[in-house]
Amino acid sequence: MSKNKMKMLIFTCVFSGILFGQYTDGNTIVTLSKYYLKPWRTVENGDWKEREKLFDEHRTKMVFRDNLLISSNILYHYLSGNSSEVVVMNEWNNIMDADKSIKTTAERRKKGWPNKKTREEFQKRFNEYWVGGHSDMGNYELNKKMLKRRTKKVKENTYITIQEFRLAPMSEVEGGTSEEREEIMQEWFDKVVMNDDRVLSHMMLTHYWSGSAGGPKGWPVVFINEYETMDDLLNEDLSKLLEAGWPNEKKRKAFQDKHRSYWSHYNHDDIGIYVNNIKQQKITK
């Protein structure tokens, strides 16, 4: 076998292990896509109330009726890169369902607006409020073991943060193992996240098949947290939760030190704070 063929075989084996070894049975797929709105005043005869009505109708007929879609959020700018950006977060059981969901878009559109003229008029007006096109932020695997769904009934729109943390390379964690890391992460979720009433919902997203998958900077993990108010979002005091979770001070400190080392000492990127339109949100049953 030639050197090049041997290199290609090794690459294929390693790549396949990364690609197929990262998905855990029972987890779901989440996509994040970024779109951009036109300022409504720049749209001919534009009106923000009309825009909201169009968006509500679109979500009802195109998103809520998509039986393959588990959940969906449309997140509007609050404190993020650009005031016109909108992030759409969709969740499916698997990548096959996501593909089928996209392929049946035209079919759902015909069912939503049976009359061709009405359908075309709606689509034309709806599109006038968008710049056109989108960028894919990533396709992720949602860790179901560390998932907190919103159970509290809310009347007002909520706030969602999107942050990217990085798991440190195992070689940088003294005595670190993948088994211990998993246990540490699960214990934190069970004792802190699940007991933090300020956090309405929580998602932990890991690389699926796009973007960075590790390397010298570590393994990227995206956290999506939902809060009822900005006060809850800005309140980062975890002292009572930590004391309740680990009453023994010595054990509490040891746990925090280990947790911090696995998470690259909490170095992270803030992607943005968004307003979650609850009327346009599809929640899993």
Side-chain angles (χ1 to χ4, degrees), residues 177-213:
T177 65
S178 58
E179 292 79 13
E180 181 189 56
R181 183 176 66 186
E182 186 72 18
E183 290 173 3
I184 291 282
M185 289 164 59
Q186 189 67 55
E187 187 174 355
W188 175 273
F189 174 80
D190 293 339
K191 292 183 177 180
V192 178
V193 178
M194 286 303 294
N195 291 317
D196 191 343
D197 294 333
R198 295 166 299 189
V199 180
L200 298 178
S201 67
H202 170 91
M203 282 184 170
M204 176 179 170
L205 308 178
T206 55
H207 169 86
Y208 184 59
W209 57 265
S210 65
S212 171

Side-chain angles (χ1 to χ4, degrees), residues 48-65 74 76 113 122 126 130 157 277-281:
W48 69 270
K49 289 184 178 179
E50 179 199 42
R51 185 178 71 179
E52 185 175 29
K53 185 179 178 181
L54 287 168
F55 288 11
D56 286 347
E57 185 176 353
H58 183 270
R59 297 288 289 180
T60 299
K61 294 181 177 180
M62 296 299 294
V63 176
F64 297 169
R65 294 176 184 176
I74 183 163
Y76 296 94
W113 298 271
F122 176 88
F126 176 80
W130 297 96
N157 291 339
N277 189 312
I278 60 172
K279 188 178 180 181
Q280 296 173 1
Q281 178 182 11

Side-chain angles (χ1 to χ4, degrees), residues 159-189:
Y159 298 93
I160 282 185
T161 60
I162 303 180
Q163 299 172 298
E164 183 179 271
F165 286 75
R166 285 186 176 271
L167 287 169
M170 202 62 72
S171 59
E172 295 180 6
V173 182
E174 185 177 354
T177 65
S178 58
E179 292 79 13
E180 181 189 56
R181 183 176 66 186
E182 186 72 18
E183 290 173 3
I184 291 282
M185 289 164 59
Q186 189 67 55
E187 187 174 355
W188 175 273
F189 174 80

Side-chain angles (χ1 to χ4, degrees), residues 159-163 223-227 233 270 272-274:
Y159 298 93
I160 282 185
T161 60
I162 303 180
Q163 299 172 298
F223 285 102
I224 299 178
N225 289 318
E226 179 184 13
Y227 303 87
L233 186 155
D270 292 319
I273 300 174
Y274 301 88

